[in-house]
Each structure stands twice: as structure tokens, then as C-alpha cells.
Amino acid sequence: MTGYKRVLLKLSGEVFGGGKVGVDPDVVQAIAREIASVSSAGVQIAVVTGGGNFFRGAELQQRGIDRVRADYMGMLGIVMNCLALQDFLEKLGVDTRVQTAITMGQVAEPYIPRRAIRHMEKGRVVIFGAGMGMPFFSTDTVAAQRALETKCEVVLMGKNGVDGVYTADPKLDPTATKLEHITFNDALQQGLKVADATAFALCMENKMPMIVFGMEPEGNILRAVQGDRIGTLVSAD
């Protein structure tokens, strides 16, 4: 299998915090090194991050905060992750642009798909922040939408603590086996939790393949981009 020329990498907010609240600079630096290696290999790359290391809208709602306001707080947390990643990438000499769905001109560009494509064509890493800019949307859905709108070839779902899609939860079922490839339809029918349902539907309808893989060991992002068989490929057929 040959590699990809333009990819979208989805990272959870928990990755940035190293399992804790806030940003762990050592972890973000390691992620930046991986993304830099992909960029220096000549692959165009965009990144969508979550904000779960700061706020989770659904959890804040359970504690009494209005869901809409809680989701906006989560979007601002995502921007903090984006700025941290941008800083470490630029320290490695990688040109980076943050584009946000909520306008904040002093720290980032507004999200403009054609401009994002142009940045990638020029070899810049583009980081999409502030989620969709609207409440009730997960960052999985943002990743699928941004990948489609900026004409990426694949969505790379970098996971912590799991290295692909399994027949059942490997933490609960010792007989669970990892799947090398599964179709969107089969994953839906088997009730496998691959990504948020809306993201899944977007990818399925538009035949956008998804690779679900573990962030360990270092170098896995580049391996996935170059077409190595790691993790699980989820595709339309």
C-alpha cells in the first residue's frame, strides 16, 4: 500500500494532558516531533485536537453548567491545546497556522478552507481549533468535516491506550481480537465504538477512509501516513 499525500490527524485532548488536567509540555513536544517528521517527509498534514484535558461539555452539564456555555468553554480549551502544539512545532522549524472556528484574531486565523488548503500546499501544518464553533458537535465530527472540506485523503484517529478497533472492549473482554480492516457498515452493525456517530456517518457517506491506531510507540503517525499496516483501516468497502 502506498502512502498518503494529504492527511488529517485527530488527537484527543487527553493526549495533551498526559491523563491530567492541563497541558503536559513533554507530551506536546513529543507529538510535535512526530508531526514534524510527517511534514518533513513531504506529506501535507492538518490536525484537529480535542479539549477534554481542560473541559468536557457533557460532563460540565451534569454538574449544573448550561450545555451550550459548557461546550463553548470546551472550544476555548481546544484553542489552548492548538497554541501549545503550534509553539512546539515552530520551535522545530515547522511553519504552522492555527485556524479557529470562533474568531480570535490576535491568536489565530479564522477557519477558511481554501486558505487552509493553500497553507498545506506550501508545506505548512494547519491546526484547526475551537471545534466546529457550535455547541453539540464532537471533535470527531469536526475532524471528519475538516478532512472532507480540505480534500484530505484519510482521517487518522490517534488513540491513547488502544492500538486499533477490537471485536469487543479489550479491557473488559480478554477474547477480544484486533481487526486489521472493517467496513463502516460492519462496524455499525456490530456496535463497535470507533468514533462519534455523526463523524462516522460523514465518513461513510463520503467514502472517507479512517485509520484508528495507537500513539505508542513514537513514529506511529509517520508509519500510518506511509501506508504501513498499523491499527485498523475503516473504509466504505
Side-chain angles (χ1 to χ4, degrees), residues 2-5 7 38 43 45 156 211 220-228:
T2 54
Y4 299 98
K5 293 183 179 66
V7 302
V38 171
V43 177
I45 182 166
L156 304 176
I211 297 174
N220 265 3
I221 299 174
L222 183 59
R223 288 177 63 204
V225 164
Q226 290 176 333
D228 287 6

Side-chain angles (χ1 to χ4, degrees), residues 12 17 50 52 70 92 94 106 144 175-176 179 189 210 217 225 233:
S12 71
L92 294 169
V94 180
Q106 284 166 286
T175 65
L179 302 164
Q189 285 169 6
M210 187 184 279
V225 164
L233 172 66

Side-chain angles (χ1 to χ4, degrees), residues 35 40 53 55 71 84 90 94 108 138 149 163 169 185 194 199 226:
I35 293 170
S40 63
N53 53 322
F55 307 103
D71 276 359
E90 302 234 312
V94 180
S138 77
E149 199 165 17
D163 61 349
D169 187 338
N185 265 334
V194 179
Q226 290 176 333

